[in-house]
Amino acid sequence: MNTINFHNGARSFRQLSAYLEARIRRGDWQAHEKLPSVRQLAQESGLHRLTILKAYQQLKECGLVYVRHKSGYYAAPPAVSARLDHVPAPVVFQGNMAALHQLPARYQFSQALIDPNLLPNHYFAEYMKEVFDLYPKLLGTYAQVQGDPELRELLAGYFRRSAQLHLDADELLITSGAQQAIHLIADIWIRPGDPVLVESPTYANAIDVFRQKGARLLSIGIQDGCYDLQEIEQMMQRYRPRLFYLNPTFHNPTGICIPVEQRKQLVDLAAQYECLLIEDDTCSDIYFDGKPPAPVFAYDTEGYTIHIRSFSKYISPGLRIACIAARQPWMSQLLAAKSLADGGSPLLNQKLFLHYFRSDRLHRHLDKLRIALRIRMEIMQQELDEAGWQYEQPQGGLSLWVRVPDHLSVPLLLRECLARQISLLPGSLFDIRERYEQHIRLSFSFASETQIREGMHELMIISRDINVQQRFE
Amino acid sequence: MNTINFHNGARSFRQLSAYLEARIRRGDWQAHEKLPSVRQLAQESGLHRLTILKAYQQLKECGLVYVRHKSGYYAAPPAVSARLDHVPAPVVFQGNMAALHQLPARYQFSQALIDPNLLPNHYFAEYMKEVFDLYPKLLGTYAQVQGDPELRELLAGYFRRSAQLHLDADELLITSGAQQAIHLIADIWIRPGDPVLVESPTYANAIDVFRQKGARLLSIGIQDGCYDLQEIEQMMQRYRPRLFYLNPTFHNPTGICIPVEQRKQLVDLAAQYECLLIEDDTCSDIYFDGKPPAPVFAYDTEGYTIHIRSFSKYISPGLRIACIAARQPWMSQLLAAKSLADGGSPLLNQKLFLHYFRSDRLHRHLDKLRIALRIRMEIMQQELDEAGWQYEQPQGGLSLWVRVPDHLSVPLLLRECLARQISLLPGSLFDIRERYEQHIRLSFSFASETQIREGMHELMIISRDINVQQRFE
């Protein structure tokens, strides 16, 4: 199956290289699998060996193949091509994060999910009955592609009152979680090779989605809770990215919050360089030091911001309800993409969410949730402090961004922790170049207080063992 | 905003043409919007006017721009580029079908949906309670990306017993409707320019999805309820398509059913030419002349068939539950794509569906539903017979594929019908080249018996009026 067929009629090295690239990207050769030799290809194709060689060279320059001395060309693994910023990774990226989440864990510090015991599950059975009484034929019909109008009206009102976002129901699209929102956006606006700005560190799943679409990822650092706006401007000027994906409010994984002044300057830059700001906002209700500033979207008068707002995490992950706020012409394009992607999110889930969202229980729930999460965070911080580990002080969110001591190998720590069913995420997942090798992300939202204390104790014992081991080696 | 910037450093007409193509595809110019003149571009870029002209010519050949005499180059609308088979349409395709479905209708003959009165809605409130009692924290957790294991086990058993599909729960992926299944498949396996086979006529939404991914669509005719297998083999040999999207059981829109012998031969062709068969099966329980043969998937020993099975239509459109059956390595790729697309379908919907699906109500429901739909179909056929209109006799499904008399203009009929809130679909939507200009699709599944009779009466009056009008013009 993995021979080359020349039905495609490649006649030049560029054509051949494009053809081989397409096949490598679709996974016709496994990572580290040997490609046909130059001699073999020349025989099969009738092309000159020099032409074949040039095609292979081009693929090498793109990081899609690598050479073993005196052996030949091999398909590069995703990690290799990922390290070269300008090279889109293979089409299907097997996210390590998803793989990690599937492992069994006694101490769950890897998923930034909220402990189901802290969620208002028991009310939903009640709402369910209400919803069926109100809409007996609810399950017999499709929802509007854009989402239930009643829910969109409610959310638009909520945004106007609570987040200074002035928008109409027509400027909202209901999606199946924030993950789908990111995917729709990537589907519309990223073609292979398109430059896309992301933060460093950034949300690992977003990296995967953008890579799947073939984006050329470029990253922007965050220092002391701020962007370097000069760096952003230079990047926009030089690469003309179509999108900048950002998470300015209780940033994942660091928990920082970008100040108002920078939010204002950012929308000016976006308009000047015609770069869409994709503002991912999943945690703005989980604050520890007071409410965050209004979203970037609120300061944008030119319409270059697209705002993703998820409620799943702290209301009901099981319903999978999020929304996108966008002005025209973006909303029309989003609607067309949503229509093709799944024809609209299920109506039942939207109506259930609506009934909870408009009750006054939401506010009480959030007040209690913030306290419960703060306690869990402080327990985790105590354990880290005792061990002398450094971490970013988060202003909100569900995780701690921890720097492990210099001598400690994170891959080793991860391996040993997973072996004892303590789950955590290595920092390298959060960066397009796999930097942050000495960082880990520990989520404090899922495990109970006791579990956090026990799990962190065990984690510290594991790290001391590794330390001793490393010294004797 | 729509000037050309030359930061991309295009130096040759090919580079310029590739650059302009990318911008046209991402919608930088609206359909029928004028592009910059040759002179203007030459001045801005410093390139020779001949180079610019050559670039425009190449775009014209691809159907991406068109020329108005003495005026210049204009961005081509999707319809124009769609007519040229080998040209991928713009990235975001505004499906006419979706637009049509949004219009108000007194007589709803356009959507192949089932009348909610015929669906088992009232049982679901009951199941809902059961489900919440059984899984009190259902809404607090995410489902597995692949779908609820309990549901996949149940469906695998059902497939083994009822459809001769021998598969494990691991070979099933739960999706949010068949639409998402098609979209995931296209997302993984279609790169811009990839040849994809479809039937003619075929499902309009599938055309839209494949076009969005930039597929080069090729179509296969259906004659007397059969494929021309020789034609299929020639197409596979010549174009080496990666996918063949087919709907062999109660085909939409014709209602025909491909015979067993052809199903067997098809899987051989697929294996020989390494072409994935994407078998869309949404209506196999809605038969009028006895059960259909086993799906193509059942005859495939080589693993080249991917089977999409939807239950939404005749159980509960509101839940949005469908599944994909696929062997390895396809299932791994599908899982990775689903993980990026939305992280998994909502668990609540899967559990509700599970509870209905395993009750013995399903069989009784289907028996009654088939009778009710048959009656509605026969009423619609009577009306057509009286008017002397021809139609394909469907063996199953929800619609009639009707040939309107030669003298009658379908666009005119559509316009007049929509004006009087009678909805129907023009045949041209079901073909990649917009053929079937004398066909319409009339669905008999949503309107009640009375509505069908009344609506068809009105439709015939409208068509006679058009006839008279046309004669006097």
Side-chain angles (χ1 to χ4, degrees), chain B residues 353-364:
Chain B
F353 178 79
L354 169 82
H355 275 248
Y356 181 72
F357 202 79
R358 73 173 163 208
S359 77
D360 50 4
R361 278 170 181 158
L362 178 61
H363 287 287
R364 289 196 303 253

Side-chain angles (χ1 to χ4, degrees), chain A residues 26 91 113 117 121 128 132 137 139-140 142 179-180 187 191 213 242 317-318 320 340-342 349, chain B residues 26 91 113 117 121 128 132 137 139-140 142 179-180 183 187 191 213 242 317-318 320 340-342 349:
Chain A
R26 79 180 192 198
V91 165
L113 279 177
N117 292 311
N121 299 297
M128 191 75 87
F132 269 87
K137 286 178 189 166
L139 291 175
Y142 290 121
Q179 182 69 26
Q180 186 182 48
D187 219 21
R191 298 299 110 194
K213 300 294 165 197
R242 190 73 199 270
R320 312 287 294 123
L340 294 182
D342 66 7
N349 308 49
Chain B
R26 79 180 192 198
V91 166
L113 279 177
N117 292 311
N121 299 296
M128 190 75 87
F132 269 87
K137 287 178 188 165
L139 290 175
Y142 289 121
Q179 183 69 26
Q180 186 183 48
H183 195 256
D187 219 21
R191 299 300 111 192
K213 300 293 165 197
R242 189 73 199 269
R320 312 287 294 124
L340 295 181
D342 66 8
N349 308 49

Side-chain angles (χ1 to χ4, degrees), chain A residues 375-431:
Chain A
I375 293 171
R376 293 178 190 214
M377 176 180 76
E378 286 171 355
I379 293 173
M380 191 175 262
Q381 288 177 334
Q382 270 172 23
E383 298 294 327
L384 290 167
D385 289 341
E386 274 170 34
W389 288 20
Q390 292 175 320
Y391 52 87
E392 193 93 30
Q393 180 64 46
Q395 297 177 259
L398 309 171
S399 309
L400 292 177
W401 184 236
V402 180
R403 201 190 144 84
V404 308
D406 281 340
H407 53 76
L408 188 62
S409 150
V410 168
L412 215 54
L413 178 67
L414 180 66
R415 200 188 66 192
E416 293 300 313
C417 282
L418 290 177
R420 287 173 230 186
Q421 299 199 10
I422 302 175
S423 70
L424 54 89
L425 292 180
S428 58
L429 280 182
F430 295 84
D431 183 72

Side-chain angles (χ1 to χ4, degrees), chain A residues 246-263:
Chain A
L246 62 158
N247 183 203
T249 309
F250 311 141
H251 174 262
N252 179 6
T254 65
I256 62 113
C257 188
I258 300 294
V260 173
E261 202 41 53
Q262 288 214 328
R263 292 173 188 239

Side-chain angles (χ1 to χ4, degrees), chain A residues 1 5 7 22 25-28 91-95 98 102 111 113-117 119 121-122 124-125 128-129 132 136-142 144-145 176-177 179-181 183-184 187-189 191-192 194 205 208-209 212-213 237-238 240 242 274 304 312-313 315-320 329-330 332-334 336-349 352 446, chain B residues 1-2 5 7 22 25-28 30 91-95 98 102 111 113-117 119 121-122 124-125 128-129 132 136-142 144-145 176-177 179-181 183-184 187-189 191-192 194 205 208-209 212-213 237-238 240 242 274 304 312-313 315-320 330 332-333 336-349 352 446:
Chain A
M1 186 168 172
N5 82 63
H7 289 277
R25 286 194 196 289
R26 79 180 192 198
D28 283 6
V91 165
V92 176
F93 182 82
Q94 291 273 12
Q102 304 267 326
Q111 282 189 284
L113 279 177
I114 291 175
D115 181 356
N117 292 311
L119 294 175
N121 299 297
H122 47 294
F124 276 101
M128 191 75 87
K129 210 189 147 317
F132 269 87
K137 286 178 189 166
L138 182 66
L139 291 175
T141 45
Y142 290 121
Q144 280 185 19
V145 170
S176 296
Q179 182 69 26
Q180 186 182 48
H183 195 256
L184 289 175
D187 219 21
I188 300 168
W189 289 300
R191 298 299 110 194
D194 279 357
N205 274 350
D208 292 351
V209 172
Q212 187 205 29
K213 300 294 165 197
Q237 203 164 30
R238 186 163 166 204
R240 298 277 167 170
R242 190 73 199 270
E274 295 172 0
Y304 277 92
S312 284
K313 285 207 187 258
I315 295 180
S316 165
L319 287 180
R320 312 287 294 123
W330 321 124
S332 298
Q333 293 180 272
L334 284 163
K338 173 75 175 165
S339 170
L340 294 182
D342 66 7
S345 292
L347 190 55
L348 169 69
N349 308 49
L352 263 173
F446 194 85
Chain B
M1 183 167 174
N2 285 343
N5 82 63
H7 289 277
R25 286 196 195 289
R26 79 180 192 198
D28 284 5
Q30 299 290 314
V91 166
V92 176
F93 182 83
Q94 292 272 11
Q102 304 268 325
Q111 283 189 283
L113 279 177
I114 291 175
D115 180 357
N117 292 311
L119 294 175
N121 299 296
H122 47 294
F124 277 101
M128 190 75 87
K129 212 192 146 311
F132 269 87
K137 287 178 188 165
L138 183 67
L139 290 175
T141 45
Y142 289 121
Q144 281 185 18
V145 170
S176 296
Q179 183 69 26
Q180 186 183 48
H183 195 256
L184 288 175
D187 219 21
I188 301 168
W189 289 300
R191 299 300 111 192
D194 279 357
N205 274 349
D208 292 351
V209 172
Q212 186 205 30
K213 300 293 165 197
Q237 203 164 33
R238 185 160 167 207
R240 297 277 166 168
R242 189 73 199 269
E274 295 173 0
Y304 277 91
S312 284
K313 286 207 187 258
I315 295 180
S316 165
L319 288 180
R320 312 287 294 124
W330 321 124
S332 298
Q333 294 180 272
K338 173 74 175 165
S339 171
L340 295 181
D342 66 8
S345 292
L347 190 54
L348 168 69
N349 308 49
L352 264 173
F446 194 85

